Amino acid sequence: MQIANAAFTSELLYRTPPGSPQLAVLKSSKMKHPVVPVHNSLERQMESNSCENGSLNMEINGDGEVLMKNKSSLYLKSAEIDCGISSKEKTEDNTTGEGMKEDGEDPDNDLAPPRSDSSSCRPESLWKDDKEIIPTFFSTMNTSFSDIELVEDSGIPTEAFLASCYAVVPVLDKLGPTVFAPVKMDLVGNIKKVNQKYVTNKEEFSTLQKIVLHEVEAGVAQVRNSATEALLWLKRGLKFLKGFLTEVKNGEKDIQTALNNAYGKTLRQHHGWVVRGVFALALRAAPSYEDFVAALTIKEGDHQKEAFSIGMQRDLSLYLPAMEKQLAILDTLYEVHGLESDEVV
């Protein structure tokens, strides 16, 4: 413990994966768990190698942070709706979107929401009908499930899906960067396994369905560490996150209860008594509702405003249905080919 404390600073705990906005962190004074950073070779390799051959496009900004190049986000959608002004009301010089920069032009500002020449549409807050609109973690993600456009036969684009998965990982950091580290490692590890398959032939494996069907035909779909097995556990992990966020959206103010309900409906049936015990222990260190929502703000203190609660409802109402639709497509795929497993870990 002494060596670890001397080697690492506490700020390492709050680093979030690429593709997510800079967020307020949980107040350590209210968290009772240790502040020893949890880093493993998998996460370090994930960041340094940029998911092998860069299929999840990343770059390094001036501050040394890894950033996603894909800047499509819920915030852009909100800005287009809330800040869009018809040409009849404004001259062409003031139309929204003129001030936006192309991807890659300004890497130091890659995480910032789209900018506009209109003074009423600021990154910190927007205004519509005299009501403040506050951005949240989900509206400022660089890539999101709601941005994914399905291709022919409900095909889910592999690269966009994996980028969206990676962008939601920081939610686990907000629940507790130490106690939820095993869950985060599992999620990131499965993303990496699917990506390793994808980069071997990006054209052939352009959709998740193509990857699964290729391994089914090759007879390796249910082999340990296959991309199909990794995707199976990845979708299970995403269902847990979706269930938790749905509980919060529906008004559950007790984070432990929300997590326990989501776990009971999703991952619990696939875990043995040892893993269940680990999760039960992690629940005890879950933050309060106030600390959790505070960690999802872009500007410190926004969570105390009524507009932030409205914004969370708005953003989750876009995010969760899109996530659920894609998970349902994968469920059908696995059921049709008998790929679901009752194995307990």
Side-chain angles (χ1 to χ4, degrees):
M1 292 290 289
Q2 292 176 349
I3 294 174
N5 287 332
F8 302 104
T9 61
S10 59
E11 65 183 23
L12 292 176
L13 286 171
Y14 303 107
R15 290 184 179 175
T16 56
S20 61
Q22 295 290 345
L23 305 173
V25 298
L26 293 175
K27 298 179 181 178
S28 58
S29 61
K30 295 188 179 182
M31 300 300 292
K32 301 301 182 181
H33 52 266
V35 292
V36 180
V38 178
H39 288 279
N40 57 35
S41 59
L42 173 60
E43 289 177 284
R44 288 194 293 269
Q45 186 179 356
M46 188 72 173
E47 294 180 359
S48 62
N49 293 343
S50 300
C51 283
E52 295 193 7
N53 300 332
S55 68
L56 300 183
N57 295 325
M58 303 174 187
E59 58 186 26
I60 308 296
N61 71 359
D63 297 324
E65 297 171 335
V66 184
L67 306 177
M68 284 282 190
K69 288 184 179 178
N70 185 350
K71 298 175 66 176
S72 177
S73 66
L74 285 174
Y75 186 93
L76 178 58
K77 293 183 178 180
S78 297
E80 289 174 347
I81 295 173
D82 298 327
C83 297
I85 302 174
S86 67
S87 58
K88 293 182 181 179
E89 296 173 348
K90 290 286 183 178
T91 63
E92 291 183 357
D93 290 338
N94 290 327
T95 55
T96 60
E98 260 185 10
M100 292 186 190
K101 293 188 176 182
E102 296 294 332
D103 289 356
E105 285 186 9
D106 188 3
D108 289 331
N109 196 36
D110 207 22
L111 292 182
R115 292 181 295 179
S116 169
D117 290 336
S118 173
S119 60
S120 64
C121 297
R122 302 179 185 278
E124 292 80 7
S125 62
L126 305 174
W127 293 85
K128 180 182 180 183
D129 298 332
D130 295 328
K131 293 182 180 180
E132 186 177 15
I133 299 177
I134 298 178
T136 71
F137 168 82
F138 297 99
S139 65
T140 52
M141 299 171 85
N142 278 2
T143 183
S144 167
F145 291 105
S146 61
D147 297 324
I148 295 177
E149 295 183 4
L150 302 180
V151 297
E152 186 179 0
D153 296 328
S154 297
I156 302 175
T158 303
E159 186 168 339
F161 181 84
L162 295 180
S164 298
C165 291
Y166 203 56
V168 77
V169 170
V171 171
L172 295 171
D173 288 329
K174 310 314 162 190
L175 291 170
T178 301
V179 294
F180 278 91
V183 181
K184 175 181 175 179
M185 289 163 51
D186 184 65
L187 201 66
V188 172
N190 288 320
I191 294 172
K192 181 177 176 65
K193 289 177 184 177
V194 178
N195 185 67
Q196 287 175 331
K197 184 70 175 182
Y198 168 63
V199 297
T200 61
N201 193 329
K202 294 183 179 181
E203 184 176 352
E204 182 180 358
F205 302 139
S206 59
T207 68
L208 296 176
Q209 288 93 327
K210 290 181 179 180
I211 291 178
V212 172
L213 293 177
H214 172 82
E215 292 194 339
V216 168
E217 294 174 0
V220 297
Q222 294 180 303
V223 173
R224 186 168 298 279
N225 292 324
S226 66
T228 301
E229 183 196 50
L231 184 58
L232 173 66
W233 282 102
L234 178 57
K235 71 184 183 73
R236 288 173 177 175
L238 292 174
K239 284 182 180 180
F240 164 67
L241 280 176
K242 182 183 75 70
F244 165 66
L245 293 173
T246 299
E247 292 277 336
V248 173
K249 178 182 180 297
N250 291 341
E252 179 56 65
K253 300 295 184 182
D254 189 312
I255 296 299
Q256 288 191 24
T257 300
L259 286 169
N260 197 44
N261 289 344
Y263 180 72
K265 296 175 182 177
T266 56
L267 292 174
R268 190 178 189 277
Q269 60 183 311
H270 305 296
H271 289 166
W273 65 272
V274 174
V275 179
R276 291 180 185 181
V278 172
F279 187 84
L281 183 63
L283 281 182
R284 298 182 182 182
S288 66
Y289 178 82
E290 182 179 355
D291 283 346
F292 175 66
V293 295
L296 296 177
T297 59
I298 306 305
K299 182 180 179 182
E300 187 174 356
D302 274 352
H303 68 287
Q304 298 175 345
K305 300 179 181 180
E306 182 182 357
F308 179 78
S309 298
I310 296 174
M312 281 289 289
Q313 287 290 323
R314 175 197 66 230
D315 298 337
L316 288 176
S317 293
L318 288 173
Y319 185 82
L320 293 175
M323 188 182 192
E324 182 175 10
K325 179 180 179 180
Q326 290 159 53
L327 290 175
I329 292 174
L330 291 177
D331 281 343
T332 301
L333 175 67
Y334 275 67
E335 290 172 4
V336 168
H337 294 280
L339 299 174
E340 291 290 347
S341 171
D342 295 329
E343 182 183 5
V344 175
V345 297

